[in-house]
Amino acid sequence: MSTFFTLPASQRKRKRPAPSASAPSKSAGWRKSTRDDESISGSDASDDDAPPPAVDDESLSEEDEAQFEDEDPAAKRVRLAEQYLANTQKEVLEDVGFDAADVDQENLRHRMGERLKEDTAEGKGRLYRRIADGLDWRAAQHTVCRRHGMQKSLTGIAVHGQHIFAVSKDLQLVKLELPSLDNTHAKGRPSRQPTVVARTRGHAKGEIAEHHSKAILCVAVSPDGKFVATGGADKKLIVWDGESLKCLKVFPQHRDAITALAFRRNTNQLYSASKDRTVKTWSLNELAYVETLFGHQDEILDVDALAQETCITVGARDRTARLWKVAEESQLVFRGGNASGTTKALEQLKRSYANGNDKADARYHEGSIDRIAMIDEETFVTGSDNGSLSLWNTHKKKATFVLPLAHGVDPPLPLAEASAEQEPDESLDEESRGGQQPRWITALKAIPFSDVLVSGSWDGYVRAWKISSDKRRIEPLGAVGVQVEDLGALLDSEGVESSTLADGALQAMKDGVERQGQVRGIINDLAVLDLGERGKDGVLIAAAIGQEHRLGRWREMLDGRNCVAIFRVPSHVATNGSHNTDVEMSNGTRENRDDFEGVE
């Protein structure tokens, strides 16, 4: 008797069941998304094979669905495209704030065209926002908030809307509200001090099951603000309600400390990186674990993601960055370990800072890659322990450009610290005392799909960088909030001769120059937020500052602070014209900054 396995190949084809009247057509089988931002596909598929633009099909009634049941694919693409344009027009009108009858049609068409171009570029993962030159980095003002109640070093920070979420080594998660014109002091002046909205704290002995029992190392907030995720040294990933900070779920799947978190853009898909050398993906809509990604040979210290179903990580001392294609279950490996950079980059750095980097040579080798930030789907930047910023492209295995010593170098150790002898030999030169050591890149953040990048270390400055138009170089924009680089430039701008000033006046002016935009401590994390529509009023930079490095106590600054620093960078239009008062901060004087440095 013949069976399925003994029949000839021509007769082994399975018969497909005939389509029933209630079965949906093939064209209706596309998976719909409720977000208009993903309406244009970023894949390499042709237009004929691409799925139709996504619209909200939940609004269709059963009668409407029955009406379009026999619709052919071409007609359906046209219908969904028209619906997408209608939704885009509605969003533009909501941004403008007027009825359609009051809006000039030419202006409306222009705004819709710009929005469609941006959606297309973002869907394809391309850099499309050139905003670096439009921001006035020198005019940035900052405030320092210490009234958050956290006693130990801040390790992570995230921003969503008007709220800042910060975590620290004393097991605290704090939600702060940014100041606005509605918040005023008793004297009637606008308040620039963030206020604590919600707070939750764990217990070191693990007495609170739904909380952390060791230092919290990272925090991330979902794009819709509904979820807040934290990871700690206790191996726990905890998901909180974004409004009340109530614990929603505790995930114990990681086998070592969780060091970094990142949400996929416009979704509630979360990526977590850990010292157990794995990356795990989570779906927070269902509060569920999805899968684990393996590949790194050392602990993973940072992770970042954009709109596509990919994420990118760095593996510390395995000196690799890995791009994970989650849907394809594959990865691309980018190997670092190069020296401090090219001669051209060194010369450019010397001219930019003139801070004594004449000994910056190939001895500063890259031992660990600690930070990563995605510019677009094809470009990313890494930060290393030798102080270098490396620009990468996903089509090349080696870095496109390396900028060394981005935050300068530390001076050699004093004799008392360099030698264990009670009476150290004063003839020891700098090389014998360890020489100059580069400052690590401890924080790195990019504004997605733009040419702006910010970094931090323990020199006290947040530094801004620009990605060149050809995406082949990193160009310095200077320290944020630093209007004058040195005392000589200040005296020249004022037309004052140093010989005519007393020593006390010169020292006061020098102290004022050094304090511009400076925060005392280690910058452990950064978060960036647009101000106004598409950042037309500038950007906000929030920094988590601590006396210790977020991953250990190997680097301590006893004179540092455990605080949140907020930089508001205005645009050139806002600086030169009449701009929104909410963008302005204090005038930069020491007296005004003390108003924000409260005692816990």
Side-chain angles (χ1 to χ4, degrees):
M1 182 178 66
S2 299
T3 65
F4 176 83
F5 300 100
T6 59
L7 287 173
S10 60
Q11 301 180 22
R12 287 207 299 265
K13 296 183 179 180
R14 299 182 184 271
K15 294 183 178 181
R16 297 182 180 179
S20 61
S22 59
S25 63
K26 183 178 179 180
S27 62
W30 293 107
R31 181 176 298 177
K32 307 301 188 304
S33 171
T34 59
R35 301 182 311 278
D36 294 335
D37 291 341
E38 292 184 318
S39 59
I40 300 178
S41 174
S43 64
D44 296 332
S46 64
D47 294 339
D48 295 335
D49 298 332
V55 296
D56 190 359
D57 281 359
E58 295 179 357
S59 60
L60 297 178
S61 63
E62 296 181 359
E63 297 180 357
D64 294 332
E65 292 179 355
Q67 178 183 357
F68 300 120
E69 183 177 358
D70 299 330
E71 189 177 29
D72 61 276
K76 184 164 187 176
R77 279 195 292 268
V78 172
R79 175 174 62 85
L80 294 180
E82 292 175 350
Q83 181 65 35
Y84 172 72
L85 289 174
N87 293 342
T88 303
Q89 180 176 353
K90 181 180 178 182
E91 289 184 3
V92 171
L93 291 175
E94 289 177 354
D95 293 339
V96 174
F98 300 97
D99 295 334
D102 299 331
V103 178
D104 180 71
Q105 292 300 317
E106 185 68 24
N107 182 37
L108 178 60
R109 284 193 295 269
H110 174 73
R111 294 174 66 90
M112 285 187 61
E114 293 296 324
R115 177 67 62 86
L116 290 174
K117 288 180 181 178
E118 292 177 359
D119 289 349
T120 303
E122 183 168 335
K124 293 184 177 181
R126 298 174 181 172
L127 186 153
Y128 64 89
R129 299 175 61 191
R130 299 287 177 182
I131 63 176
D133 294 333
L135 297 172
D136 196 347
W137 299 99
R138 294 182 179 273
Q141 302 293 339
H142 78 281
T143 60
V144 176
C145 171
R146 299 182 66 194
R147 299 176 183 174
H148 42 62
M150 290 181 276
Q151 304 292 330
K152 294 185 178 181
S153 296
L154 276 70
T155 56
I157 198 164
V159 179
H160 181 270
Q162 286 293 114
H163 296 100
I164 296 176
F165 299 88
V167 294
S168 67
K169 289 187 175 182
D170 59 358
L171 316 183
Q172 288 199 66
L173 167 62
V174 177
K175 180 180 180 181
L176 303 170
E177 184 176 2
L178 291 170
S180 64
L181 295 179
D182 296 333
N183 299 330
T184 57
H185 289 299
K187 297 181 181 180
R189 295 179 298 175
S191 172
R192 303 180 183 93
Q193 178 68 40
T195 57
V196 176
V197 178
R199 178 198 309 274
T200 179
R201 184 170 187 171
H203 198 280
K205 296 183 179 180
E207 296 181 0
I208 306 176
E210 296 183 344
H211 215 298
H212 291 283
S213 57
K214 292 184 179 180
I216 307 177
L217 302 179
C218 51
V219 62
V221 57
S222 61
D224 58 6
K226 184 178 179 181
F227 302 105
V228 176
T230 58
D234 56 359
K235 313 174 188 178
K236 292 181 182 179
L237 170 65
I238 302 182
V239 181
W240 312 84
D241 177 67
E243 184 66 26
S244 62
L245 297 188
K246 178 183 177 182
C247 179
L248 300 178
K249 186 76 172 181
V250 179
F251 295 103
Q253 277 87 340
H254 275 292
R255 303 178 66 181
D256 207 336
I258 300 173
T259 55
L261 298 168
F263 277 94
R264 181 183 169 194
R265 190 174 174 86
N266 298 324
T267 71
N268 287 331
Q269 182 177 350
L270 177 68
Y271 301 101
S272 62
S274 170
K275 289 185 177 181
D276 63 6
R277 308 180 185 181
T278 66
V279 180
K280 295 185 184 293
T281 62
W282 316 81
S283 177
L284 296 195
N285 287 329
E286 294 82 17
L287 293 178
Y289 159 79
V290 179
E291 63 178 324
T292 302
L293 308 175
F294 298 91
H296 275 290
Q297 302 302 308
D298 195 20
E299 56 192 31
I300 305 174
L301 298 186
D302 205 2
V303 61
D304 201 6
L306 290 178
Q308 296 183 7
E309 198 172 355
T310 60
C311 69
I312 196 160
T313 58
V314 286
R317 296 196 177 276
D318 72 0
R319 290 177 293 186
T320 65
R322 295 175 187 253
L323 175 66
W324 306 86
K325 299 182 179 181
V326 180
E328 301 176 10
E329 297 183 352
S330 63
Q331 58 179 290
L332 298 177
V333 182
F334 306 89
R335 301 195 180 278
N338 50 339
S340 59
T342 60
T343 304
K344 183 183 294 186
L346 285 171
E347 293 298 330
Q348 181 184 12
L349 190 70
K350 293 174 187 177
R351 293 194 301 269
S352 301
Y353 296 108
N355 59 354
N357 288 338
D358 55 325
K359 295 185 179 181
D361 52 30
R363 65 182 177 181
Y364 296 131
H365 286 279
E366 188 175 55
S368 174
I369 306 179
D370 295 346
R371 285 298 197 174
I372 193 165
M374 294 190 74
I375 303 296
D376 57 26
E377 299 290 358
E378 296 182 348
T379 312
F380 63 94
V381 178
T382 59
S384 309
D385 63 348
N386 65 343
S388 63
L389 293 175
S390 301
L391 180 65
W392 303 76
N393 187 283
T394 56
H395 302 294
K396 296 183 179 180
K397 293 297 183 180
K398 290 294 184 180
T400 304
F401 182 82
V402 178
L403 191 148
L405 303 177
H407 285 260
V409 294
D410 282 331
L413 292 173
L415 282 174
E417 297 182 15
S419 175
E421 300 179 2
Q422 293 183 351
E423 297 181 359
D425 185 4
E426 297 183 357
S427 63
L428 290 176
D429 56 7
E430 293 184 0
E431 296 297 329
S432 301
R433 286 183 280 153
Q436 296 177 336
Q437 294 299 319
R439 300 187 179 102
W440 291 25
I441 304 299
T442 57
L444 191 63
K445 196 68 176 180
I447 301 179
F449 303 108
S450 78
D451 57 347
V452 172
L453 178 80
V454 291
S455 64
S457 185
W458 56 75
D459 61 343
Y461 296 102
V462 175
R463 298 191 181 275
W465 311 90
K466 174 186 174 181
I467 307 299
S468 62
S469 57
D470 57 1
K471 295 193 288 187
R472 297 180 63 88
R473 298 185 311 279
I474 300 176
E475 302 172 356
L477 296 172
V480 179
V482 177
Q483 300 179 4
V484 182
E485 293 290 346
D486 53 59
L487 181 59
L490 176 62
L491 294 176
D492 292 340
S493 63
E494 298 291 337
V496 178
E497 294 289 339
S498 59
S499 58
T500 62
L501 298 175
D503 294 340
L506 278 175
Q507 186 62 38
M509 296 182 70
K510 182 179 180 180
D511 293 341
V513 169
E514 293 178 350
R515 278 202 300 266
Q516 293 179 95
Q518 187 180 37
V519 291
R520 297 202 301 268
I522 302 175
I523 301 175
N524 282 320
D525 199 13
L526 293 167
V528 184
L529 179 70
D530 286 343
L531 294 177
E533 180 187 356
R534 306 285 179 171
K536 66 178 182 180
D537 294 331
V539 297
L540 180 143
I541 303 173
I545 314 296
Q547 293 179 327
E548 303 171 352
H549 190 274
R550 71 185 185 103
L551 298 179
R553 304 186 64 182
W554 56 269
R555 178 74 191 190
E556 291 184 279
M557 298 185 65
L558 299 180
D559 61 340
R561 297 172 177 172
N562 303 319
C563 61
V564 174
I566 303 173
F567 296 80
R568 294 204 180 188
V569 184
S571 64
H572 283 295
V573 176
T575 304
N576 299 329
S578 57
H579 60 284
N580 190 346
T581 312
D582 193 33
V583 180
E584 295 178 344
M585 301 299 284
S586 64
N587 59 11
T589 61
R590 181 65 180 172
E591 291 76 17
N592 279 350
R593 282 202 295 268
D594 284 340
D595 292 341
F596 314 122
E597 298 168 3
V599 179
E600 296 84 346

